[in-house]
Amino acid sequence: MEQLKRQKVYDLLKVKDETLLNGQVNVKGWVRTKRGNKNVAFIALNDGSIIHNIQVVVDVQSFGNDELLKKVTTGSCISVNGKLVESKGSGQAVEILAEEIQLYGTADAETYPLQKKGHSLEFLREIAHLRPRTNTFGAIFRIRHALSFAIHRFFNELGFYYLHTPIITGSDAEGAGAMFRVTTLDLHNVPHTPEGKIDFTQDFFGKETNLTVSGQLEGELGALALSNIYTFGPTFRAENSNTSRHLAEFWMIEPEMAFYDIHDNQDLAEDFLKYLIKYVLENCPDDLEFLQKMYDNELISRLQFVTENTFERLSYTKAIEILEQSGQKFEFPVSWGVDLQSEHERYLVEKHFKKPVILTDYPREIKAFYMKQNDDGKTVRAMDVLFPKIGEIIGGSQREEVYEKLLARIREMDIPEKDVWWYLETRKFGTAPHSGFGLGFERLMLFITGMGNIRDVIPFPRTPFNAEF
């Protein structure tokens, strides 16, 4: 087979290089379908670079290799040399008149699980090793890539530094306690102290360690030296939750900014979300249109809804008043001091303000120890960004920079000082006002793709009793 430079299906369908038309090209990929008769065969080929397939037309008589063509079935992998021509049929601008075909890998028609169309998302989760070959997951993972790139580009353009925070940690940033333990101890012969507790001094790190739930605390250390940093990495929660919103392993974006107050924090969060959504609208139109057609007919209009509206900003207290006076019957009753549920957040966004909302100044009792305390003694400078359909998408705050207040709050919440001594020291040596927030990457992916289950926006979901792939 003649060695031609491989062209991606994306480049051929978009015909960016006009000199390719009516010339010899090579394309490689996986067969989506093959149909035809004894005279002509039509092969739909896809290489993952675009949601659309390129049609390969084979003149069966002149091709002269019936045995090879019989092995070209759905799922098989081939390389094609041929002439790129304008398509005579509808649905595509160009097609390839095949002259040579090389078969890389066969796919038995009886056992290949993606032989038919219309598989349920539940079934596809069971074959996570093959589901990227479907249109749905090809679209989702291309969007995931585009979003990842846009995140780095956004922060780079603003002069932020990408900080790699540890995955193995000895602290619990959220105080949640639901963490995966990291140990090299022999589970069949666990050492104990005289008091009967596990003796972690004999473990690899000499102390109890876990997989991180957040890079925030370490991120603050970077911000108090480099001014503006962000983290983007995997985080872990050992919650035994089998819901459509929970993963045991997920990715978080967490910027931390010295000299930012709560208002600067809100500005950055709004700019960040709009930037990311605009980037996907501009760079992934084919994938978004497919997902809208197949899963959510309001998808693109909802994305535009976010980019075209200024986010409404108000206090938690004012939001409670609005909810109490709404006349709505909520599943979870509303009163000052409760943690808002998704139904409350969505009412504010979708029905009352009809735009994204940022709530601030939450009751201190329902927020983390590190949030800056307001002078009223009841609230902290927290902020949550609320979106249509999903509710909270970003959570953040101005951080408490006063040593005495932070220490008192740590003691009040019974957090062991020995675990956060280093965090406290940043408030003793050159403390500064600073703020930050966290954005769950998969939650953003749910919003941008219109998918209903968080397990469908990450390549290999980790959930209770599921670590197969």
Side-chain angles (χ1 to χ4, degrees):
M1 191 170 185
E2 182 184 353
Q3 290 297 312
L4 292 170
K5 181 182 178 182
R6 177 201 165 208
Q7 300 290 335
K8 291 185 177 180
V9 172
Y10 177 92
D11 294 321
L12 294 179
L13 291 181
K14 299 296 182 181
V15 196
K16 288 186 174 182
D17 185 353
E18 294 292 341
T19 61
L20 291 175
L21 200 57
N22 297 314
Q24 294 293 308
V25 297
N26 170 263
V27 65
K28 299 176 181 180
W30 293 268
V31 176
R32 289 293 174 83
T33 61
K34 188 183 80 169
R35 59 186 176 83
N37 52 46
K38 63 180 181 180
N39 297 316
V40 62
F42 300 97
I43 300 169
L45 200 65
N46 190 282
D47 64 359
S49 61
I50 189 172
I51 198 160
H52 306 297
N53 307 319
I54 193 163
Q55 180 166 273
V56 176
V57 182
V58 184
D59 184 322
V60 176
Q61 301 302 320
S62 61
F63 187 74
N65 193 335
D66 289 346
E67 289 305 311
L68 175 64
L69 283 179
K70 287 178 182 178
K71 295 177 182 177
V72 176
T73 58
T74 297
S76 60
C77 184
I78 63 174
S79 174
V80 179
N81 283 350
K83 186 177 182 181
L84 184 70
V85 299
E86 290 185 7
S87 179
K88 296 178 181 178
S90 61
Q92 66 275 328
V94 295
E95 60 190 17
I96 298 174
L97 303 181
E99 295 172 4
E100 293 179 283
I101 295 177
Q102 182 178 355
L103 181 64
Y104 286 142
T106 61
D108 180 61
E110 297 298 319
T111 57
Y112 181 54
L114 297 178
Q115 194 67 229
K116 299 176 181 179
K117 294 183 179 180
H119 292 298
S120 71
L121 295 173
E122 290 79 6
F123 170 74
L124 293 175
R125 284 179 215 131
E126 296 173 6
I127 53 168
H129 58 303
L130 293 174
R131 71 176 183 170
R133 298 192 194 180
T134 64
N135 282 334
T136 293
F137 287 94
I140 289 169
F141 298 148
R142 280 188 295 271
I143 290 173
R144 190 178 171 104
H145 159 78
L147 264 180
S148 300
F149 175 78
I151 287 163
H152 290 296
R153 195 170 94 164
F154 173 83
F155 286 119
N156 188 64
E157 289 174 358
L158 291 180
F160 279 60
Y161 297 105
Y162 181 30
L163 190 73
H164 296 136
T165 53
I167 289 174
I168 300 173
T169 179
S171 63
D172 180 358
E174 298 297 325
M179 303 178 76
F180 288 102
R181 180 169 290 161
V182 176
T183 182
T184 58
L185 293 177
D186 182 356
L187 298 185
H188 298 289
N189 187 25
V190 178
H192 290 85
T193 65
E195 297 76 26
K197 295 181 179 180
I198 296 175
D199 186 3
F200 285 105
T201 62
Q202 298 187 45
D203 207 348
F204 186 89
F205 292 105
K207 61 179 292 187
E208 186 174 358
T209 54
N210 306 282
L211 296 180
T212 186
V213 298
S214 168
Q216 178 204 313
L217 301 188
E218 294 87 354
E220 287 186 50
L221 310 185
L224 292 172
L226 301 171
S227 290
N228 294 342
I229 67 93
Y230 71 103
T231 75
F232 183 15
T235 51
F236 308 85
R237 297 277 171 88
E239 297 174 4
N240 190 13
S241 298
N242 268 302
T243 76
S244 62
R245 300 289 176 181
H246 287 86
L247 289 169
E249 176 183 297
F250 53 99
W251 287 64
M252 288 284 291
I253 303 101
E254 296 175 294
E256 293 289 332
M257 298 76 63
F259 318 116
Y260 272 49
D261 63 17
I262 191 66
H263 304 292
D264 301 319
N265 208 22
Q266 293 174 76
D267 291 342
L268 182 72
E270 180 170 347
D271 291 344
F272 182 45
L273 289 167
K274 287 182 173 179
Y275 182 98
L276 298 182
I277 293 171
K278 284 179 181 176
Y279 186 88
V280 173
L281 283 168
E282 292 170 4
N283 291 275
C284 306
D286 293 345
D287 291 324
L288 287 176
E289 286 169 10
F290 170 82
L291 294 173
Q292 175 169 269
K293 178 182 176 182
M294 298 299 295
Y295 297 100
D296 184 346
N297 59 16
E298 297 179 348
L299 176 60
I300 294 174
S301 63
R302 192 163 52 250
L303 298 180
Q304 293 168 338
F305 168 87
V306 171
T307 62
E308 293 168 2
N309 281 289
T310 300
F311 294 9
E312 187 72 26
R313 303 184 186 191
L314 69 156
S315 70
Y316 165 93
T317 300
K318 180 62 178 176
I320 291 294
E321 291 175 7
I322 291 171
L323 292 166
E324 287 178 331
Q325 297 167 11
S326 67
Q328 289 284 119
K329 288 188 177 180
F330 295 111
E331 179 183 351
F332 297 93
V334 178
S335 61
W336 199 95
V338 303
D339 207 354
L340 294 182
Q341 302 296 316
S342 180
E343 60 173 339
H344 308 138
E345 296 166 340
R346 291 185 61 183
Y347 173 83
L348 294 169
V349 173
E350 297 168 15
K351 295 185 178 179
H352 187 82
F353 290 109
K354 295 182 171 60
K355 60 173 67 175
V357 171
I358 306 179
L359 295 186
T360 57
D361 302 305
Y362 280 77
R364 70 195 293 269
E365 301 306 323
I366 62 173
K367 289 297 182 180
F369 74 93
Y370 49 73
M371 297 188 178
K372 184 165 183 63
Q373 301 169 52
N374 285 321
D375 294 337
D376 61 12
K378 297 191 304 180
T379 61
V380 291
R381 290 183 201 170
M383 71 168 204
D384 285 346
V385 182
L386 314 180
F387 264 20
K389 193 174 181 182
I390 63 171
E392 180 198 338
I393 194 164
I394 276 180
S397 71
Q398 186 171 339
R399 316 310 191 189
E400 182 56 75
E401 83 275 14
V402 178
Y403 175 82
E404 291 77 15
K405 289 185 178 181
L406 182 61
L407 178 60
R409 186 74 173 129
I410 285 171
R411 288 174 174 173
E412 184 182 326
M413 297 183 70
D414 295 322
I415 297 171
E417 290 175 46
K418 64 179 179 61
D419 292 342
V420 292
W421 66 268
W422 48 273
Y423 186 72
L424 278 163
E425 282 210 345
T426 61
R427 274 64 172 178
K428 289 169 64 177
F429 306 127
T431 191
H434 61 289
S435 300
F437 61 78
L439 169 62
F441 188 48
E442 282 73 29
R443 182 162 287 199
L444 178 63
M445 279 291 298
L446 277 179
F447 181 77
I448 288 182
T449 62
M451 302 304 289
N453 194 312
I454 202 165
R455 304 175 194 207
D456 296 328
V457 295
I458 190 169
F460 305 103
R462 294 290 176 258
T463 54
F465 303 104
N466 180 30
E468 181 70 23
F469 304 99

